[in-house]
Amino acid sequence: MAEEDDAGIRILQSLRGKICEAKNLGPVSGPNRQRDLCTFCTISLDQEEVFRTKVFDKSVSPFYGEDFYFEIPRPFQCLSFYVYAKSVFQRDLPVGKVSIRKDDLCKYSGKEHWFSLHPVDPNSEVQGKVHLEMRLNEVITDNGSVGQHLLVRIIECQGLPLISGQNCDPYATVSLVGPARSDQKKTKVKKKTSNPQFEETFFFEVTRSSSYSKKSHFQVEEEDIEKLEIKVDLWNNENLAQDVFLGETRVPVKILQNDRVHRAWYLLQPKGNGSKSKSDDLGSLRLKLTYIEDTVLPSAYYTPLCNLLLKSPDVKPISASAAHILGDICRERYEAVLPTVRLLLHHNRCVPFVSAVAALELDNTQEANTIFRGNSLATRCIDDMMKIVGKNYLAVTLKPVIDEICESNKTCEIDPVKLKEGDNVEVNKENLQGYVQKVFSSITQSSSSCPPLMCDVFRSLRHLACKRFPADPHVQYSAVSSFVFLRFFAVAVLTPHSFQLRSHHPDPEISRTLTLISKTIQTLGSWGSLSKKLSSFKETYMYDFFKSFQEDKCIEKVKKFLDEISSNVSKESSGLEDAVVLKEGEVQKRAQGRKRLGKKNFKKRWLRVTNRELSYHKHKGKEALCIINVKNIQAVEKLDESAFNRKNMFQVVHSEKPLYVQAGNCVEASEWLEVLGPVSRCNEGRLSTFHPSNYSSGAWQCCKSQSSNAPGCKPCTTTVLANLQLDIDCDRETERIFSLLSVNDTKLQNMEDACASMAVYQGPQREQEDYSKFTIQEPKETFQTLKQLRNIMEELQRQHNIRRDATAQYGSLDNPIVGKTS
């Protein structure tokens, strides 16, 4: 989520990656701590933790294997990865950290890197910015001497960190520092705020008073100016404990030589004199990062490119369409297809496009048993479509049994080479068979839950396959099973965390169980097409295991399932939509109906939202303390920090009193809003306005209206989307497509040259390496599309350049100065 500026431009940020592994982690404290080192990793935006891995057992070189993805809903300075040693009886101890400044993230994007761990020093854990004003004033003392006074005004701060999950009590010290002087002054303490408004002014004598003369009249001595600086330190007032350092900035006084008044925002910096230790002693961390920042223009600028892409299914041949050209020039980049698929899905153009590219692939397929085997544009589009559209389908079908497998932790190893001492292979085989039967039954009995759009695609694939290979009676099944079993269910079983079926990567033993189940499901799914027999197994133990299945009954069940999800026969439905858990997690909830504010009014609760209801519980798995039907939700909006002096709060307005909730961090808050907004956006009683603060002391704190039933004073967030299940930002997707086209501009030019050459030269086509990389059936049609793309890209680039030239001035709130450090 991002706020729009006055011109309607949005800056949207996201981070995707993987915490792979650590190597040679150093001792935390005491001798031989390595041997009992249980560790976990966290990710922080500045000093706000937004992601945490599970704890990994004793190892100095743990393999984490944790994938992560989140939208970044606010500006940030630094992305940090911390490794902690888990402690049972005391606070978790930091092993080390990797910190990457936002401006440096692009250097590491898309590739794995080893990073050395550095010590975690409290004096380096800072975030936020400070707004300062400085000016020089000349004064004449009573005895006629001349002096220079420096006025320093500390106006405000923004984005100070939370302390123990709560807003801090900040104050600032302002010092004039030089070779032989250090004059310090202090502001008042501001209570419970991360954005304190100080508005305090301090005076310092810059030059020693001297006799009035023309030579020294109002002149500042060079030697003093060069060596003096203003130092601003931010602290959290801890009362009985030692105050916590929040950050500092240093501004040289010589900045006033050219301009007698200086006013600017400065980023807070760590102390440069913190403890230093050799980072080599702490080990290293392997990370894969992809940071994306989209500058999204107003919708009108994307209309030409969006319309050109949406025409793609109607272009003959399909290879001459804009969407196919994008897939052609970005075929090495798997993520390039996703924005196109999302855009087509939103506008209900995905099925005709997928059908067209699948037909093109089938035309080039010579044997029925190799159908849809490669990593082509068609298979990539269908893969992405299934992941987007089938997310809830997977949750309903697989999550219960995957949870059972992961939590019961039965041993299922049947490979004699991998058996541990004391394992009983017959018991393991029985465990594995029981799990496979549950997963297989869940899948083959799920046809009524299969999304209609997936059924439409499968129906089209079945028809196209039969048309291409009319003599093969089994190809109609293999065309569908190659996707729904091999590329959808089997992959989700293998890596449930990648499909949000589990929150973390499974343990090695459970991962092995899931691998065996996934292999089995692939084979059982292919039986429906009669394309695989038991004799095709390389592993003897798998061959023996499959003997336990009744082949004929499995084939019958698979065929029945494939028929139901790909035929024209209407699926039977109970008419009652299955409850799907969209999000759940621990939050702080304010008790409803109490007047007195304070810590007692906020309690930890387990919040859970499905497509039917929102509920909160004392703990996970316990009975609901309160249930709100999603149809009764009237608004879901952010709550001002000033309402309860807490960050990351949102409110759920319904028929009774508003539910006020504090999320664990900014990413969690954004995700709750993005889940609750779409599930309730079409409710009949939805409000058009809301109160961004709370009602207390007889008035709404935002607008001071005294009636508790007064209409809201701020417009509600507008959320008008065509499909409740597909929360797609079309402008953002089109901007990403534009970025991909721009990055591959050379390939577009090569393709254009190839079209021109092929259109002019009518003889036998020459084999040229650059040309063979493209699919060009009709050079003239393709050339015309390329020309249209280029014209649109030039205009979009021009609009981006206009806005880039108008970027925020250095020293403004949006572009603060990075000051000196100690």
Side-chain angles (χ1 to χ4, degrees):
M1 300 182 65
E3 300 292 335
E4 288 189 5
D5 65 12
D6 293 337
I9 299 170
R10 294 176 294 151
I11 306 296
L12 301 174
Q13 309 168 96
S14 64
L15 184 70
R16 181 188 301 277
K18 187 172 189 174
I19 302 175
C20 303
E21 61 179 317
K23 185 168 62 177
N24 301 327
L25 295 178
V28 178
S29 63
N32 302 320
R33 273 304 293 267
Q34 296 101 318
R35 287 182 294 181
D36 59 351
L37 203 62
C38 295
T39 62
F40 63 93
C41 285
T42 66
I43 304 176
S44 292
L45 294 173
D46 298 323
Q47 295 308 300
E48 184 178 18
E49 183 183 314
V50 296
F51 180 84
R52 177 179 291 217
T53 70
K54 63 182 181 181
V55 178
F56 286 78
D57 287 338
K58 304 170 184 178
S59 173
V60 294
S61 297
F63 180 82
Y64 297 111
E66 291 269 12
D67 297 295
F68 59 86
Y69 173 81
F70 50 84
E71 298 288 325
I72 301 175
R74 63 169 178 81
F76 71 102
Q77 303 170 33
C78 191
L79 178 72
S80 298
F81 297 81
Y82 294 81
V83 178
Y84 286 93
K86 185 67 178 176
S87 178
V88 178
F89 301 110
Q90 55 184 326
R91 289 183 63 183
D92 300 326
L93 302 172
V95 178
K97 71 172 182 177
V98 173
S99 290
I100 308 171
R101 294 198 67 83
K102 177 183 174 182
D103 295 341
D104 295 329
L105 282 172
C106 58
K107 299 177 184 177
Y108 309 106
S109 189
K111 295 180 181 179
E112 290 184 0
H113 292 268
W114 280 101
F115 296 88
S116 295
L117 289 172
H118 294 272
V120 178
D121 174 13
N123 287 332
S124 69
E125 306 294 289
V126 304
Q127 74 174 62
K129 43 198 166 187
V130 59
H131 195 193
L132 303 175
E133 181 181 304
M134 295 166 52
R135 67 174 70 221
L136 276 174
N137 291 331
E138 294 86 0
V139 294
I140 301 176
T141 64
D142 293 338
N143 62 5
S145 61
V146 178
Q148 295 282 336
H149 281 190
L150 175 64
L151 176 151
V152 180
R153 178 174 164 229
I154 178 165
I155 304 169
E156 61 178 312
C157 290
Q158 283 202 5
L160 298 181
L162 299 177
I163 304 295
S164 301
Q166 304 296 322
N167 282 335
C168 54
D169 294 335
Y171 69 90
T173 59
V174 183
S175 307
L176 179 62
V177 182
R181 62 191 296 183
S182 181
D183 303 332
Q184 185 181 91
K185 300 181 181 182
K186 176 183 171 182
T187 69
K188 295 177 182 177
V189 176
K190 299 296 181 179
K191 293 291 186 179
K192 301 299 180 188
T193 177
S194 56
N195 302 312
Q197 302 287 320
F198 290 109
E199 291 291 353
E200 293 192 42
T201 303
F202 304 99
F203 295 90
F204 299 91
E205 184 181 350
V206 174
T207 57
R208 300 294 176 187
S209 298
S210 58
S211 297
Y212 186 90
S213 67
K214 290 184 178 180
K215 183 178 179 180
S216 62
H217 180 56
F218 300 132
Q219 296 297 311
V220 179
E221 299 175 20
E222 287 290 330
E223 54 187 356
D224 286 339
I225 285 289
E226 292 292 335
K227 297 176 182 178
L228 293 178
E229 63 182 10
I230 285 294
K231 177 171 171 279
V232 178
D233 292 273
L234 270 295
W235 299 86
N236 180 58
N237 182 46
E238 290 285 337
N239 291 325
L240 300 177
Q242 184 176 356
D243 292 350
V244 176
F245 176 74
L246 301 178
E248 70 169 34
T249 192
R250 291 171 173 255
V251 186
V253 177
K254 66 181 181 181
I255 202 169
L256 294 170
Q257 282 181 310
N258 298 324
D259 191 351
R260 287 292 173 116
V261 179
H262 174 72
R263 181 170 176 157
W265 283 89
Y266 282 83
L267 283 178
L268 293 175
Q269 299 292 306
K271 281 188 179 179
N273 59 355
S275 61
K276 302 289 183 181
S277 63
K278 293 182 179 179
S279 59
D280 294 341
D281 299 334
L282 302 177
S284 54
L285 189 64
R286 182 162 64 93
L287 303 170
K288 183 177 182 181
L289 306 172
T290 301
Y291 169 73
I292 297 176
E293 183 176 290
D294 298 312
T295 303
V296 183
L297 305 174
S299 296
Y301 295 109
Y302 296 110
T303 301
L305 180 56
C306 184
N307 288 342
L308 186 62
L309 289 162
L310 295 177
K311 288 178 183 176
S312 295
D314 304 323
V315 175
K316 307 295 182 187
I318 191 65
S319 60
S321 68
H324 193 283
I325 288 171
L326 175 66
D328 221 10
I329 64 171
C330 300
R331 68 176 64 175
E332 294 89 5
R333 298 185 62 179
Y334 190 84
E335 71 274 12
V337 173
L338 182 58
T340 306
V341 170
R342 291 174 67 85
L343 190 67
L344 293 171
L345 276 172
H346 182 81
H347 292 279
N348 298 317
R349 301 289 284 157
C350 187
V351 175
F353 179 74
V354 165
S355 300
V357 293
L360 177 60
E361 180 173 337
L362 285 170
D363 287 342
N364 297 319
T365 304
Q366 303 305 315
E367 297 180 14
N369 61 358
T370 62
I371 190 170
F372 299 125
R373 286 283 182 89
N375 188 25
S376 64
L377 178 59
T379 58
R380 288 156 64 197
C381 284
I382 297 171
D383 281 355
D384 282 338
M385 178 277 297
M386 291 191 298
K387 287 179 182 176
I388 297 167
V389 176
K391 183 178 177 182
N392 290 347
Y393 178 35
L394 277 179
V396 170
T397 306
L398 290 183
K399 194 174 190 320
V401 65
I402 293 293
D403 286 343
E404 180 186 341
I405 293 167
C406 293
E407 290 163 13
S408 61
N409 200 18
K410 293 179 182 177
T411 303
C412 297
E413 185 55 72
I414 58 174
D415 184 353
V417 177
K418 296 183 178 181
L419 286 173
K420 296 178 181 178
E421 186 177 351
D423 281 353
N424 186 320
V425 70
E426 292 302 320
V427 173
N428 292 358
K429 190 182 292 184
E430 187 177 328
N431 291 339
L432 181 59
Q433 187 175 10
Y435 284 152
V436 168
Q437 289 287 8
K438 286 185 178 181
V439 173
F440 182 69
S441 296
S442 295
I443 293 171
T444 54
Q445 294 172 15
S446 69
S447 61
S448 63
S449 300
C450 186
L453 196 144
M454 285 177 64
C455 294
D456 291 342
V457 170
F458 296 150
R459 187 180 304 119
S460 177
L461 294 176
R462 181 173 182 165
H463 170 74
L464 292 168
C466 291
K467 184 178 178 182
R468 177 67 180 87
F469 299 103
D472 190 324
H474 309 302
V475 73
Q476 60 177 318
Y477 295 111
S478 61
V480 179
S481 66
S482 62
F483 287 103
V484 74
F485 276 102
L486 273 65
R487 293 173 176 267
F488 188 57
F489 285 121
V491 179
V493 169
L494 184 64
T495 56
H497 57 291
S498 299
F499 292 82
Q500 291 80 52
L501 298 178
R502 297 290 292 178
S503 57
H504 295 292
H505 186 79
D507 295 328
E509 189 171 331
I510 295 173
S511 185
R512 173 62 179 165
T513 298
L514 294 175
T515 299
L516 292 171
I517 296 171
S518 179
K519 277 187 176 183
T520 313
I521 293 301
Q522 289 184 50
T523 304
L524 292 175
S526 67
W527 275 1
S529 61
L530 298 178
S531 62
K532 196 164 191 173
K533 297 293 184 182
L534 288 177
S535 58
S536 64
F537 276 107
K538 296 178 182 178
E539 306 98 332
T540 305
Y541 65 88
M542 290 299 289
Y543 176 86
D544 294 336
F545 174 65
F546 270 94
K547 284 182 179 178
S548 60
F549 289 90
Q550 296 180 339
E551 188 171 342
D552 292 339
K553 286 189 176 181
C554 287
I555 291 174
E556 183 181 334
K557 289 180 180 179
V558 171
K559 280 190 171 183
K560 182 175 182 293
F561 171 68
L562 295 175
D563 281 335
E564 288 171 346
I565 64 172
S566 62
S567 67
N568 291 317
V569 179
S570 298
K571 298 179 295 181
E572 293 185 8
S573 174
S574 64
L576 184 65
E577 188 181 5
D578 292 315
V580 179
V581 178
L582 302 177
K583 184 171 175 62
E584 57 182 338
E586 189 175 79
V587 299
Q588 291 273 350
K589 182 199 72 70
R590 181 177 182 260
Q592 294 172 282
R594 297 187 181 181
K595 295 180 180 179
R596 184 170 55 86
L597 296 180
K599 222 170 186 179
K600 292 181 180 178
N601 281 345
F602 281 88
K603 295 183 179 180
K604 285 185 179 180
R605 291 290 181 257
W606 189 263
L607 193 64
R608 187 173 186 263
V609 60
T610 72
N611 51 336
R612 294 180 185 173
E613 61 190 29
L614 172 68
S615 59
Y616 59 81
H617 314 246
K618 193 166 186 178
H619 302 289
K620 183 180 181 181
K622 298 294 184 181
E623 289 187 11
L625 299 174
C626 176
I627 297 175
I628 302 170
N629 191 313
V630 295
K631 292 182 180 179
N632 295 331
I633 295 177
Q634 299 169 340
V636 182
E637 298 289 345
K638 290 180 181 179
L639 197 68
D640 285 350
E641 181 183 325
S642 59
F644 299 104
N645 287 322
R646 289 172 177 246
K647 282 186 172 183
N648 306 320
M649 288 203 66
F650 63 93
Q651 57 181 315
V652 180
V653 183
H654 57 111
S655 52
E656 299 179 14
K657 293 184 178 181
L659 177 66
Y660 296 124
V661 179
Q662 182 185 28
N665 56 62
C666 63
V667 171
E668 281 286 314
S670 177
E671 289 176 352
W672 280 113
L673 289 167
E674 290 179 4
V675 168
L676 286 165
V679 83
S680 62
R681 69 162 53 92
C682 290
N683 290 347
E684 290 183 3
R686 203 169 162 85
L687 300 176
S688 59
T689 58
F690 75 103
H691 291 285
S693 192
N694 63 319
Y695 184 85
S696 66
S697 303
W700 289 100
Q701 298 307 299
C702 43
C703 59
K704 305 306 178 185
S705 177
Q706 296 182 355
S707 171
S708 61
N709 297 320
C713 55
K714 187 175 180 180
C716 285
T717 305
T718 55
T719 51
V720 181
L721 295 175
N723 192 325
L724 298 188
Q725 300 298 321
L726 304 177
D727 197 350
I728 294 171
D729 185 338
C730 291
D731 292 342
R732 185 180 194 178
E733 303 303 335
T734 312
E735 170 61 30
R736 286 187 174 176
I737 291 170
F738 164 68
S739 298
L740 287 164
L741 290 169
S742 299
V743 169
N744 290 276
D745 186 64
T746 303
K747 290 183 179 179
L748 284 175
Q749 184 60 59
N750 290 341
M751 195 174 192
E752 199 172 313
D753 294 342
C755 290
S757 176
M758 292 169 69
V760 173
Y761 179 67
Q762 299 296 327
Q765 293 300 316
R766 295 169 292 180
E767 288 294 329
Q768 296 191 34
E769 186 179 349
D770 288 341
Y771 298 179
S772 63
K773 295 177 181 178
F774 307 123
T775 305
I776 303 175
Q777 294 173 290
E778 291 289 340
K780 291 183 179 178
E781 287 288 336
T782 307
F783 185 85
Q784 289 299 320
T785 304
L786 287 165
K787 277 294 186 187
Q788 288 178 279
L789 277 173
R790 282 198 165 279
N791 291 338
I792 292 170
M793 288 169 61
E794 287 175 6
E795 177 57 25
L796 271 174
Q797 189 59 57
R798 190 176 71 85
Q799 294 298 332
H800 274 287
N801 291 341
I802 291 172
R803 281 147 186 83
R804 191 174 295 117
D805 293 341
T807 51
Q809 182 181 356
Y810 192 48
S812 65
L813 175 62
D814 296 326
N815 189 16
I817 297 170
V818 180
K820 293 173 59 181
T821 57
S822 304

